[in-house]
Amino acid sequence: MLKRLEELKQNTLKQLKTVGDSSALRELEGATIGKKGELTTILRSIGTLPAEERKAVGEKANQVKQALAAAIEVREEEIRAQEMAADMQAGAIDVTLPGRPIATGRIHPANQALRDIYDIWAEMGFQVYRSPDVETDDNNFSLLNIPPYHPARDMWDTFHTTEPDVLLRTHTSPGQIRAMQEYAPEPIRVILPGMCYRYEQVTVRSEFQFNQVEGLAVGYNIRMTDLKGTMAAFARRFYGADRQVRFRSSHFPFTEPSIEVDVQCILCDGAGCQVCKYTGWLEIAGAGMVHPVVLKNGGYEPTRFSGFAFGMGTERSIMLKHGVQDIRHFWGNDLRFLEQF
Ligand code: PHE
């Protein structure tokens, strides 16, 4: 028995040296001095030994137990220190590495263009007037001199709602009626920006939603020359100081006379390219002198007042300015496109 105890001690001390982590250490402890360990079992069975052996075996067993407990404690400390060092190594932060860049949001190119456009008009005395996206049939059409069933309604493919005579505005022009009705008979100078909706096939050149910026000036002696000068001033501010501008005769039911405003192509300087379809010119706005019927519907006496109005597409302006070939990029949410602005 004494020999077995000595063996147990030597074996355990040897094994302790090779034990590499705390769970293996716990196991070894359990198998020796633990509750069900060999040494504990021996200590318990001492009573069954012949009387003359009991003292020697008891002493030896207790000695071994103390020696092992002390050795295990020492080893435990060592292992804990090793494990902590390993943990710290694994979780170490290299403070010399460059930081990760924080991705910040940015203004959508359409909103950025709107802001640039507001700035230019603000300097010319035009104030932003907000009007709703959901409109009445009257404001969108009838009061703009486009009565029900008039063929001119075909110019705007319309999203109707289930509510009779309530629709999504097809252009920002209904805002003219709202602004005039609010301010008449005071002279006004406003721009009316916002989203417009058309029940149209989505293609490279047309979306079913897009921003427009409408302009309206009503006063006592406003003439076609004022419209032309104002549009030219805007075009040169927005597209470049040396741009040529031209006006073509056109037709809108709510303006008379009506014009279309063209700017010399920015990409080819008028030489002719794919974007301007080899004409050298880009169409930037529809415009005209406010029709007397519309002035009257807005609350102005057409014999005393006159005015001009214009409307331009925001996304279209960006496309022209930057040579963007596909209008669907604007609402496609592809960051590769959006981050270029
Ligand atoms: N509302 C017209 C359109 O969307 C543009 C326009 C506005 C033309 C104001 C003349 C005057 O086509």
Side-chain angles (χ1 to χ4, degrees), residues 156 171 173 176 198 212 214 252 254-255 286-288 309-311:
W156 298 275
H171 49 177
S173 302
Q176 288 189 33
R198 288 190 196 168
Q212 276 192 347
E214 186 96 3
F252 298 101
F254 33 88
T255 47
F310 58 84

Side-chain angles (χ1 to χ4, degrees), residues 30-252:
T32 53
I33 60 171
K35 265 189 203 152
K36 289 180 181 157
E38 191 178 347
L39 193 70
T40 315
T41 317
I42 292 172
L43 274 165
R44 281 209 191 107
S45 66
I46 280 173
T48 65
L49 293 176
E52 64 277 15
E53 281 180 33
R54 281 183 210 160
K55 188 166 180 255
V57 172
E59 262 171 21
K60 179 74 180 167
N62 277 318
Q63 253 175 33
V64 171
K65 187 175 179 178
Q66 269 162 30
L68 288 183
I72 288 171
E73 206 182 304
V74 170
R75 186 69 187 130
E76 192 174 2
E77 268 312 304
E78 282 170 17
I79 288 175
R80 196 177 294 155
Q82 268 168 24
E83 284 178 349
M84 195 193 281
D87 268 4
M88 284 170 76
Q89 180 88 48
I93 296 169
D94 182 351
V95 292
T96 65
L97 284 174
R100 284 182 207 127
I102 295 168
T104 50
R106 64 185 68 216
I107 298 168
H108 189 280
N111 288 332
Q112 187 55 59
L114 282 171
R115 292 183 186 188
D116 296 345
I117 293 170
Y118 301 162
D119 284 351
I120 297 172
W121 289 110
E123 282 182 21
M124 292 195 263
F126 286 77
Q127 153 184 1
V128 173
Y129 187 93
R130 297 269 170 198
S131 70
D133 293 24
V134 180
E135 263 296 3
T136 60
D137 185 280
D138 278 352
N139 284 343
N140 197 81
F141 290 122
S142 303
L143 296 174
L144 289 171
N145 202 26
I146 318 166
Y149 303 108
H150 194 282
R153 288 203 176 199
D154 284 354
M155 288 170 76
W156 298 275
D157 295 307
T158 311
F159 281 112
H160 296 274
T161 67
T162 47
E163 196 70 25
D165 298 328
V166 176
L167 44 80
L168 298 184
R169 64 176 169 196
T170 58
H171 49 177
T172 41
S173 302
Q176 288 189 33
I177 300 293
R178 289 177 179 270
M180 285 191 283
Q181 288 181 347
E182 181 171 340
Y183 287 105
E186 296 299 320
I188 49 171
R189 233 187 276 173
V190 288
I191 52 168
L192 309 130
M195 197 61 93
C196 304
Y197 308 85
R198 288 190 196 168
Y199 186 45
E200 267 180 58
Q201 180 76 42
V202 175
T203 68
V204 174
R205 309 196 129 255
S206 66
E207 259 285 7
F208 58 78
Q209 62 171 59
F210 52 92
N211 285 287
Q212 276 192 347
V213 176
E214 186 96 3
L216 173 70
V218 180
Y220 293 108
N221 197 15
I222 294 178
R223 291 175 290 187
M224 189 72 166
T225 44
D226 297 312
L227 172 59
K228 290 165 91 172
T230 311
M231 293 312 288
F234 170 80
R236 296 198 177 110
R237 283 287 303 278
F238 191 74
Y239 292 102
D242 46 3
R243 289 294 112 187
Q244 297 283 320
V245 178
R246 78 173 182 186
F247 305 98
R248 279 178 297 117
S249 150
S250 185
H251 172 76
F252 298 101

